[in-house]
């Protein structure tokens, strides 16, 4: 369980950090601002701080759809709140209704980016595992026919 948690944390960290870098690149391109070196460390820190609750909350295996939806809503709101706090802490922007709205849009983008990446990776991994199982069972069937 611990190993899976750390693997999940690493995956979320990489996905979230990649999405934050994309969002920052788009923002900096449109605003014309230059990025300071310290921002890269802040992005890495932000990726870790948001990956941690992601790995914790999403590691639960809820038995009902209702519980799953509640966990996803709590997760999204927590990530949004943490992101706004990090914006304020790092001084990336003034907290105004417009900046909160743009942050919301950025969090939605990052959220969907991360979900899509995880879905695609899981789908590919599942297809690979199914192929391996087919190969194994077809070989066992051939062995049974040869031995019969």
């Amino acid at each position: 369980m611990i190993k899976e948690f750390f693997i999940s944390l690493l995956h979320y960290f990489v996905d979230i950090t990649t999405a934050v870098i994309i969002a920052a690149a788009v923002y900096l391109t449109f605003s014309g601002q230059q990025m300071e070196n310290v921002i890269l460390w802040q992005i890495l820190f932000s990726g870790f701080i948001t990956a941690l609750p992601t790995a914790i909350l999403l590691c639960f295996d809820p038995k009902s759809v209702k519980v799953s939806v509640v966990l996803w809503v709590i997760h999204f709101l927590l990530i949004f709140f943490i992101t706004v706090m990090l914006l304020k802490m790092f001084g990336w922007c003034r907290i105004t209704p417009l900046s909160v709205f743009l942050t919301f849009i950025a969090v939605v983008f990052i959220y969907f980016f991360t979900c899509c990446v995880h879905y695609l990776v899981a789908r590919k991994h599942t297809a690979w595992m199914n192929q391996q199982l087919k190969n194994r069972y077809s070989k066992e069937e051939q062995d049974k026919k040869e031995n019969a």
Side-chain angles (χ1 to χ4, degrees):
M1 174 96 176
I2 301 279
K3 180 182 175 185
E4 290 83 10
F5 170 76
F6 283 111
I7 290 171
S8 180
L9 177 64
L10 180 63
H11 282 286
Y12 284 118
F13 171 75
V14 169
D15 295 344
I16 290 168
T17 303
T18 301
V20 170
I21 288 172
I22 292 168
V26 169
Y27 173 77
L28 292 171
T29 299
F30 285 114
S31 70
Q33 296 178 6
Q34 296 294 317
M35 186 169 73
E36 298 177 21
N37 294 341
V38 70
I39 290 177
L40 292 174
W41 290 106
Q42 292 170 345
I43 288 173
L44 290 172
F45 179 75
S46 299
F48 178 74
I49 292 298
T50 53
L52 195 57
T54 302
I56 292 169
L57 282 174
L58 299 183
C59 73
F60 293 110
D61 187 19
K63 302 298 181 206
S64 74
V65 174
K66 185 178 178 181
V67 172
S68 182
V69 169
V70 168
L71 280 175
W72 279 92
V73 168
I74 290 170
H75 174 255
F76 180 84
L77 293 174
L78 182 62
I79 295 302
F80 176 67
F81 177 74
I82 289 170
T83 303
V84 171
M85 298 284 70
L86 290 170
L87 287 174
K88 183 176 172 88
M89 185 174 85
F90 293 142
W92 286 350
C93 67
R94 286 187 10 247
I95 304 301
T96 65
L98 178 61
S99 68
V100 170
F101 174 74
L102 292 175
T103 301
F104 180 81
I105 298 299
V107 170
V108 167
F109 164 76
I110 293 165
Y111 205 82
F112 281 115
F113 176 87
T114 303
C115 288
C116 288
V117 167
H118 276 272
Y119 171 76
L120 292 173
V121 168
R123 191 174 89 178
K124 185 176 180 180
H125 185 71
T126 301
W128 177 81
M129 285 177 30
N130 285 335
Q131 186 60 45
Q132 294 297 318
L133 287 171
K134 283 180 187 177
N135 293 343
R136 179 178 179 179
Y137 288 120
S138 67
K139 184 178 180 187
E140 286 178 8
E141 288 295 320
Q142 281 181 336
D143 292 343
K144 284 182 184 178
K145 287 179 184 179
E146 290 174 2
N147 293 333

